Amino acid sequence: MVHYNEGDGLNSSYTYGLNQDENGFIYLGSDTGFFRFDGAEFKQFGSKNGLKNIEILDCFPIPDNEMFIISFLNDFAYLKKGKIINSDRNPELKKIKFTYTTLSHINGNTVYLYEGDNPKNILVYKNEKITTIPIFIHQNASDNYFTFGLNMANGNLYISDRYKKKNLEVYNVFTRKKTVCNISIEKNTVVTRKGDFFILKNGRKIDIYRVYHQFHFKKIASYTAPENIHRLAIDKNSRIWACLENGGVLYFKNPFMETEGLSNPIRLMDGYIIHDVLTDKDNNLWFSTRNNGLFFISDLFFRNYIHFPVKNNSSHITAIAKNGNRIYLGYNEAKGGIYHNGVITNLHLGESSQMENKAILSDGNTIIFGLSRNPVRYNTVTGEKQVLKENVIKNMVPYTSGSALFCTLEGLIAYNHHKGSYEKLMMGNRIYTALSYTRDSIFAGTFKDLYKLNTTTKKKRLFLEGYYFTDIKKLSDNLYAGATNLNGIILFNNFRVIKKIMESDGLPTRQIKKIEIENEKVFWASTNYGLSRIEFKDKKLKINNFTHTDGLPSNVVAGCIISGDTVYAGTSKGMGILSIKNLLSQQKSVHKKVIINSVKIGNNLFYDPGQPLEGKTPDNSLTFNVSFPDFASQGQISYQYKVEGLSEDWQTGSSPNITFNSIPPGDYTFKVFGLGYNGRKSYVSTDLHFEIKPAFWQTWWFKLLLVFIGAAALSMLITFYFQKKRNKKLETLYYEKKIAELELQAIKAQINPHFIYNCLNSIHFLLYKKDYYEAENYLNTFSVMIRKTLHYSEKTFMPIKEEAEYLSLYLNMEKLRLKDLFDYKITVSENVNESWTVPSLLIQPFVENAIKHGIANLQDRKGNIEVLFQYTGTALCVIVEDNGVGIGKKLHSNANSFGVKLSEKRIETFRQLFDTNIILEITDLQEKEKRPGTQITLYITPYENQNTGIHH
């Protein structure tokens, strides 16, 4: 049996009612609260969890997978989704006020609660609400009823008078009528109802009745126990457990409704006061006790124990052997046993209880019990026992016909039991195992090393060093299996080690006691952790491990014997007899699922995995608290899990708290399998979906915003860089323009004196000729011209209209000076807007040049000057044309007059200052059109609304 107490987390030894919920958890009431057990750990619910009264008498499952909690003297509560709901959280519970024992009846999704002693009403619990059905069973004040067996399908409540011998009665809660039944019940009788059967307990007596047509009872069985029974428990298989007042429990193997009546009970748990017995969904057994915690027996172990036909089978077996159809057992004292036809016959081998059996050897009618100090030979025919020569026996193995090898403290000795003679083969070493592998060769194992011994020469040779062999068996020709104390199982031949079989291959331990051969491909290993079956199949190794969960009386196995389909195992708690076929056909999976108790996301704890589970960065760490209630594994539980969407690799761990840290945003599914005893896996995974939502800085819009901000910042940096570069360029340009402006002003300052100088020359010329009248007219015109020149010289640009007027004034003045030597014409085309501006005083030097160098020296014809303003579609075109002598190749240098040079420099300055494109073309008409004259063409890009500091 497995005993759970304070050391296992059950912080109470005084335990009461037991029950199991839909998920398979075991619930237990105690004097220190309410416990839930998942097979690996106990979870305690006490006052800090919400219980107002921590002495919990009973509990039972109610609809919606809740567990109703019955405490001592009211203060009822229930467990819902991992939380205790008390009367503060649900005031409806305050309506439940009972004085004595609380009984319950569940019909569909409704729970009916009532008192066992003199109830006044029935409380109906549904959807966490309480309603009341009043009952009236008392006819006078002296009535004292015990109630039981409520059936709300027909409204019947069975009652009996606890202190008077009266017939059983039925009270109908709907009609409020009582009906007297046909059986009389003794006072102080406790009645338990299960379906149509009523089990009556009074003192030591148990009576079982079956009810027909609600009111007619017929007795079907009766039993009288050897002592008083303080409580009856009826398991789900309709078997009765009678808990005795002085300790122990009586178990009736057959269901109580069978026609043959109750079988003779089996007495269990002597010395323990049993409060409750539970058979769980897997038929495992649980016992709650007074002051001794909780006990557990697995179904398979219990069935093997209860139905095992062998009596007197609980001794500590240290050696086992087979002889014909008999099994010989050696115990940890000077006793032995013979198993035959389901009976074990004990043999007393000596007086000292300190001499345990190290090995048993059988040969024909001779059985040798290898007591640690004085081996005993036993004759199976005569029953004669003979104490052999004193040897400190470590092991015994077969040798030749009629002889055996004694592995002793002094060395290796051959004993011939026919002659009673001894032969020393290898002395001076402690020998723990040996095996004869040829006629004159023996493997002999000391405490540490394995030797090859030649029995003829008595010479030994070291073969394998440092393996600590405890047993050696031959598998086939030149192939041996050795059990070791530290290195698992060693497969070797006459020359070398072939393979080591360790825990990594599936063995439960590397400490092996004995090996038993089933066939040349299969052998068994006995350990302190159960039995292991090792099979070589298609060059692959397959290991099956078996423990008390599979029916072994104990995991401490000294050795085993194979006989057909049966394995006989000698354990520290008796001999186990198991079918190999049944052992190998056990389910490879467990028909259970992992239960997710709670999920912690960040600092938030969720007890209802059915609700949407969401986390958010930075609270993106998850802890799943899980359980795998496979009680047969007895706490040897582990979990295989992964998070789909995060990783496809399965991880394995034994902790019930599975944590994942810093999960990135996304949708995920947590998948987990339970791994129980012998690697058995839950038949299906438990899946739970959850979502980790991104923090605002992880959202797409924030990332887009970051990209936008980054792009904007980069753009600003680039803009700043180029703006700085541009500003530097503008600054340079500014100073260049300043210089250009100063140059332009200097050019204008040069133009004015040049023009005035020319005019003064003309006036001087007139005065020289004493043409005072013309000089006066010229001087008047000159004064107007000077004013306009001074006016326009301050401007950078001037309208075409004013430019034409200025040129007309100038040409008139020059025509007057030259006595009508030429005619002129100024034309502004219709497609030219007269408000367009041109650089001031730009055209006048070219007109002056046409007069001075073109027509001033004409003798054969009258001069003619034309000025034309026209628009080409892309630029303003100004043409100054004369019919003079032309520039010619020889006169080309004369064309570069001072005024033209200044104009060209002004054109270049305008280009720098105002991005105004001015192109100057000088054409000799004689060369181009075969007629005299020169043509000056200016192409000016219109300049309007430009930002400049120069006044225009």
Side-chain angles (χ1 to χ4, degrees), residues 870-937:
Q870 64 181 14
Y871 182 58
T872 64
T874 58
L876 176 68
C877 180
V878 181
I879 300 174
V880 178
E881 184 178 317
D882 65 77
N883 63 345
V885 296
I887 56 175
K889 294 182 179 179
K890 296 181 180 180
L891 301 174
H892 179 73
S893 60
N894 294 331
N896 292 326
S897 67
F898 182 75
V900 173
K901 289 181 179 180
L902 290 177
S903 295
E904 289 177 347
K905 195 163 186 178
R906 286 189 68 200
I907 289 172
E908 184 61 29
T909 305
F910 268 99
R911 285 174 183 168
Q912 294 179 7
L913 282 173
F914 308 112
D915 294 330
T916 300
N917 191 19
I918 303 175
I919 299 174
L920 170 64
E921 292 181 357
I922 301 175
T923 306
D924 187 349
L925 294 177
Q926 184 66 39
E927 292 180 1
K928 185 176 181 181
E929 298 181 8
K930 304 301 181 183
R931 60 185 180 92
T934 302
Q935 184 183 75
I936 303 296
T937 306

Side-chain angles (χ1 to χ4, degrees), residues 734-753 789-790 792-798 838-843 845 898-916 918 943 948-952:
Y734 172 77
Y735 288 113
E736 289 177 352
K737 286 186 176 182
K738 277 292 185 182
I739 293 171
E741 287 177 2
L742 292 174
E743 287 180 350
L744 184 61
Q745 291 175 0
I747 291 168
K748 289 180 179 179
Q750 289 176 330
I751 289 174
N752 292 337
T789 300
L790 293 176
Y792 291 130
S793 66
E794 293 180 355
K795 292 182 177 292
T796 305
F797 291 89
M798 61 189 296
V838 292
S840 63
L841 302 179
L842 178 65
I843 303 171
F898 182 75
V900 173
K901 289 181 179 180
L902 290 177
S903 295
E904 289 177 347
K905 195 163 186 178
R906 286 189 68 200
I907 289 172
E908 184 61 29
T909 305
F910 268 99
R911 285 174 183 168
Q912 294 179 7
L913 282 173
F914 308 112
D915 294 330
T916 300
I918 303 175
Y943 186 86
T948 176
I950 300 178
H951 178 65
H952 62 279

Side-chain angles (χ1 to χ4, degrees), residues 496-513:
R496 61 185 177 87
V497 172
I498 297 174
K499 184 176 179 58
K500 295 180 182 180
I501 304 175
M502 303 286 284
E503 293 156 311
S504 58
D505 299 301
L507 287 178
T509 177
R510 63 178 61 186
Q511 187 177 26
I512 312 298
K513 292 182 177 180

